[in-house]
Amino acid sequence: MATDIKKCIDNMDIKSFQDDLIGWFVSEQRELPWRKDQDPYKVWVSEIMLQQTRVDTVIPYFNRFLENFPTIEALAYADEEKVLKAWEGLGYYSRVRNLQSAVKEVNEKYSGRVPDSPKEISALKGVGPYTAGAILSIAYGKPEPAVDGNVMRVLSRILLIWEDIARPASRKIFETAVRELISHENPSYFNQALMELGALICTPTSPSCLLCPVREHCEAFHEGVQNELPVKTKKKKQKNVQLAAGIFSDGEGRILIRKRPGTGLLANLWEFPTVELSLDFQRQRDQLAEHFEENYSLAPKIGDSIGEIDHVFSHLVWNIQVFSGQITGEISETPQLKLVTEKEIKEFAFPVPYQKMLKQYLEYKKADQP
């Protein structure tokens, strides 16, 4: 640990800091469904969902997911299609694939009990240092650090840490600091309180210092530099990808859907036929028709564009031109290629941009009817 951070901790009244923080959490914590008990499985599911996703968004997903898969055994034996469907709309689908894979291992190797040792839990697929620390401290009461963006922001201000939190190496500094500060009597509440403080009070911009229960312990507040911390370098600019997608129906009104590859972005989710456009954007419809012919040996009838959708991922942006069309001929269905009715399509898991496309298509179709 850097000398100035260690000096800062040495000068703190750690017991008083713990008491102020935990006392505030006891009285001010939000009522969240995963806080109703300390079930390790529920803590695990909630922490995976909360990665990259806001609490308000997660709550209905968490409740629905636990209704469908109430136990480790239920998720271990669940059909992947149903798991992806329950996750539909949350994004970052590798999270739930890794979760199910790890849950299967827990079910087989540990008889359905989430391991309570740092070494064993960290070996599970998709369980990084933060998730491991959260489960161990919240569910098992072990004094392990659970350092996420909220915690790094809070501690960078309290301890005046000027390290760039965007650098992976910085995490170790914060983990070491938490080990020095964490309450051994109540590590569960201590870690949750740090997270809650970052979410409600010590926010990225305009922190509510006058409402903060630990401002007396905060070096940044005393020096008036709370708005300058944490130090965080900006990410690289996202890549823009131009796509054309078609919602094609056959003579019976069934819609053509296909399954994405088993690896890579949005793996194993369903989509409508889509092609990445070359630089010749004027030929969007032609490029989509050529893609359709190459893949299905049929020349489709493609109508006018019914809309445009932009979808932002962490590393790229999709700009999608959406078309409707008709299939002229027989399509050979496979496990990866299906013709489904508007009712049947609800059973398949689609990424958010394709959910938006379907909504556009159904509205367009309804408006087009006399």
Side-chain angles (χ1 to χ4, degrees):
M1 190 190 298
T3 310
D4 48 351
I5 300 168
K6 187 171 189 323
K7 186 179 174 185
C8 191
I9 291 174
D10 288 344
N11 289 335
M12 277 179 83
D13 182 342
I14 293 176
K15 183 70 170 67
S16 173
F17 172 72
Q18 293 169 352
D19 291 346
D20 290 345
L21 182 65
I22 291 171
W24 169 81
F25 181 71
V26 169
S27 61
E28 300 295 331
Q29 64 173 298
R30 292 169 289 179
E31 281 190 27
L32 300 172
W34 46 88
R35 285 183 178 160
K36 288 178 181 172
D37 56 43
Q38 292 178 308
D39 181 335
Y41 171 60
K42 291 177 187 172
V43 173
W44 188 2
V45 170
S46 72
E47 291 299 342
I48 298 296
M49 285 188 169
L50 287 163
Q51 292 169 15
Q52 312 285 348
T53 311
R54 291 171 57 86
V55 166
D56 292 348
T57 304
V58 164
I59 290 170
Y61 278 97
F62 176 83
N63 290 332
R64 194 161 57 242
F65 197 86
L66 265 292
E67 280 171 24
N68 289 324
F69 317 109
T71 63
I72 281 197
E73 188 178 27
L75 183 56
Y77 288 109
D79 179 64
E80 189 190 52
E81 286 284 343
K82 288 184 178 169
V83 175
L84 288 172
K85 184 67 183 173
W87 200 270
E88 183 183 55
L90 269 179
Y92 299 93
Y93 290 89
S94 60
R95 292 183 296 174
V96 73
R97 287 194 200 88
N98 289 341
L99 174 63
Q100 189 180 29
S101 175
V103 158
K104 285 177 180 175
E105 185 179 346
V106 168
N107 198 50
E108 291 164 17
K109 194 171 175 181
Y110 302 105
S111 304
R113 185 180 186 277
V114 179
D116 62 358
S117 81
K119 186 179 178 184
E120 289 175 333
I121 201 166
S122 298
L124 296 171
K125 196 167 185 180
V127 177
Y130 166 74
T131 306
I135 297 168
L136 291 169
S137 62
I138 296 170
Y140 290 124
K142 293 184 179 281
E144 286 291 321
V147 174
D148 66 353
N150 277 340
V151 171
M152 286 196 278
R153 181 172 61 256
V154 170
L155 290 181
S156 70
R157 289 169 176 163
I158 288 171
L159 300 175
L160 215 61
I161 298 174
W162 293 93
E163 300 288 335
D164 180 2
I165 67 168
R167 289 177 61 244
S170 297
R171 176 182 293 275
K172 289 286 179 197
I173 294 167
F174 291 93
E175 286 177 349
T176 304
V178 172
R179 288 191 189 280
E180 295 280 333
L181 298 174
I182 196 167
S183 162
H184 284 243
E185 287 74 40
N186 198 345
S188 171
Y189 272 22
F190 180 88
N191 276 346
Q192 289 184 82
L194 276 182
M195 298 171 201
E196 196 83 335
L197 192 70
L200 301 181
I201 304 289
C202 198
T203 50
T205 55
S206 305
S208 305
C209 296
L210 296 180
L211 299 175
C212 180
V214 292
R215 72 175 179 275
E216 297 305 319
H217 309 276
C218 181
E219 289 293 320
F221 175 72
H222 290 312
E223 296 199 14
V225 294
Q226 63 270 22
N227 290 316
E228 295 173 38
L229 288 164
V231 174
K232 186 178 183 183
T233 52
K234 287 189 167 65
K235 292 178 182 175
K236 291 178 185 173
K237 198 178 175 191
Q238 294 151 317
K239 177 188 172 189
N240 274 292
V241 179
Q242 307 295 325
L243 302 167
I247 301 185
F248 296 97
S249 58
D250 67 0
E252 298 172 38
R254 295 177 301 171
I255 296 168
L256 184 69
I257 62 173
R258 70 184 185 192
K259 200 172 196 179
R260 290 178 65 86
T263 56
L265 185 66
L266 306 173
N268 281 337
L269 295 174
W270 291 84
E271 67 175 6
F272 306 112
T274 304
V275 62
E276 184 172 341
L277 297 168
S278 68
L279 293 176
D280 187 2
F281 295 135
Q282 302 307 312
R283 293 184 60 253
Q284 292 171 338
R285 192 188 286 103
D286 292 344
Q287 288 184 58
L288 183 60
E290 287 162 11
H291 173 78
F292 199 94
E293 279 190 66
E294 283 171 20
N295 283 272
Y296 313 119
S297 303
L298 290 173
K301 286 183 182 173
I302 303 179
D304 292 331
S305 170
I306 61 171
E308 194 173 327
I309 285 167
D310 291 335
H311 188 73
V312 180
F313 296 93
S314 57
H315 59 300
L316 54 85
V317 178
W318 277 0
N319 309 114
I320 314 166
Q321 202 70 39
V322 187
F323 296 88
S324 69
Q326 283 79 45
I327 299 164
T328 55
E330 290 291 319
I331 286 273
S332 300
E333 292 188 70
T334 68
Q336 279 73 41
L337 188 69
K338 293 183 182 292
L339 285 161
V340 295
T341 65
E342 288 175 17
K343 186 178 178 183
E344 290 168 340
I345 206 167
K346 294 174 184 172
E347 300 300 314
F348 295 84
F350 285 84
V352 168
Y354 290 94
Q355 293 174 43
K356 290 178 182 174
M357 277 180 225
L358 181 61
K359 188 181 177 195
Q360 272 187 357
Y361 171 75
L362 294 174
E363 287 171 357
Y364 168 81
K365 192 177 162 191
K366 190 176 178 183
D368 203 39
Q369 287 174 347

